[in-house]
Amino acid sequence: MKIARQAKILDLIEKNSIETQDELAQRLKEAGFDVTQATVSRDIREMKLTKIATENGRQKYSVLSNTDNELSERLIRVFREAVIKIDYSQNMIVVKTLNGMGMAVAVALDSMQNSEILGTIAGDDTVFCVARGTQQAITIIEKLYKVIRTE
C-alpha cells in the first residue's frame, strides 16, 4: 500500500501544481487512498519532496534530484532562501521560514546529518529542532547562520 501510495504521490505532483499537504491528501483520497495528514507528511519526508517556486510566484511540491552534490547544493539554496530567523531556548531551536517552506527547511536540516540534532518537526512556517543540550543548540545556530551567510 505504501509503495502504491508513494507512486501515486509522484504521479500527482508531476501532473499537478500541489501546494499543500492538505491538497495532496485530498487528491490521494480522490484516488482511493485512505490517508491522514500525518501519513502524507511522513511520505513527503521519506520521499525527500520539497517545494519549489512556480512561474506564477506560488509554490508546489517537487522531487529533488538524487545526486548527492546537486541535492546538497539545492537544499542549502532552499535553506538560505526560506529561513527568516533562528532562535533557541535551552536545547530547542526554532527556525522561522517563509510561509509554506517549513517542510523544505526541515528536509534541508535533516540532510545536513548533524549528530547534535536529535530530530526536527516542521509546520507551515516553523521548524522545531531538538539539540542534545543548550551549548549544542548554540553551536548549531552558529553553523546554520554560516550556511545562510555563505554565498
Side-chain angles (χ1 to χ4, degrees):
M1 186 67 152
K2 179 179 176 179
I3 294 170
R5 183 181 64 245
Q6 289 185 351
K8 186 62 176 175
I9 289 171
L10 290 175
D11 181 55
L12 287 169
I13 65 171
E14 183 180 319
K15 295 178 180 174
N16 304 283
S17 290
I18 297 179
E19 296 182 44
T20 66
Q21 289 182 14
D22 289 338
E23 183 180 353
L24 183 54
Q26 183 61 40
R27 299 267 184 138
L28 286 167
K29 287 176 185 175
E30 292 169 2
F33 293 90
D34 185 22
V35 296
T36 64
Q37 188 275 334
T39 301
V40 171
S41 180
R42 272 192 303 275
D43 285 340
I44 288 169
R45 182 171 289 217
E46 284 180 19
M47 298 169 68
K48 301 193 186 296
L49 301 181
T50 190
K51 286 188 175 181
I52 60 170
T54 62
E55 292 136 13
N56 63 4
R58 301 186 75 139
Q59 296 176 1
K60 69 175 186 170
Y61 281 107
S62 179
V63 179
L64 290 175
S65 169
N66 286 333
T67 61
D68 288 342
N69 194 30
E70 184 179 323
L71 177 64
S72 295
E73 289 176 21
R74 200 166 181 186
L75 288 172
I76 288 170
R77 189 170 57 247
V78 165
F79 189 83
R80 280 185 190 141
E81 293 174 4
V83 172
I84 297 171
K85 179 182 175 185
I86 307 171
D87 207 346
Y88 77 100
S89 176
Q90 296 180 0
N91 70 325
M92 289 290 298
I93 301 168
V94 179
V95 181
K96 296 298 286 180
T97 71
L98 297 172
N99 285 334
M101 294 301 290
M103 181 59 72
V105 168
V107 169
L109 283 168
D110 289 343
S111 75
M112 292 176 191
Q113 299 177 345
N114 186 327
S115 64
E116 298 302 323
I117 296 177
L118 297 175
T120 59
I121 298 175
D124 187 52
D125 65 355
T126 306
V127 179
F128 289 102
C129 297
V130 178
R132 294 195 179 276
T134 302
Q135 188 55 50
Q136 288 85 357
I138 294 168
T139 302
I140 291 165
I141 290 173
E142 289 171 353
K143 288 178 182 178
L144 295 178
Y145 273 121
K146 284 180 184 174
V147 168
I148 292 171
R149 292 185 183 119
T150 302
E151 297 292 330

